Amino acid sequence: MKQYIIDRLKEPSTWRGLVLIATALGAKISPDQTEAIVLAGIGIVGLIGTFAKG
């Protein structure tokens, strides 16, 4: 099981998913800053997509 998790953490799609989940949770926690949180999350996902292999 440990190796399975390690293998998944090497995939860009896993990191994009984790960032999107964190972005959604951040928007829920701080509604007054929702736009900034969402823009930052989308930017990070874009960087992952640009620089990650896969």
Side-chain angles (χ1 to χ4, degrees), residues 4-6 10 15-16 18-20 25-26 29-30 33-37 42-43 45-46 49-51:
Y4 175 81
I5 293 171
I6 291 170
K10 293 178 182 178
W15 288 102
R16 285 190 295 267
L18 292 172
V19 170
L20 291 172
L25 292 175
I29 292 170
S30 181
Q33 296 180 345
T34 299
E35 184 176 348
I37 292 168
I42 291 171
V45 168
T50 301
F51 295 108

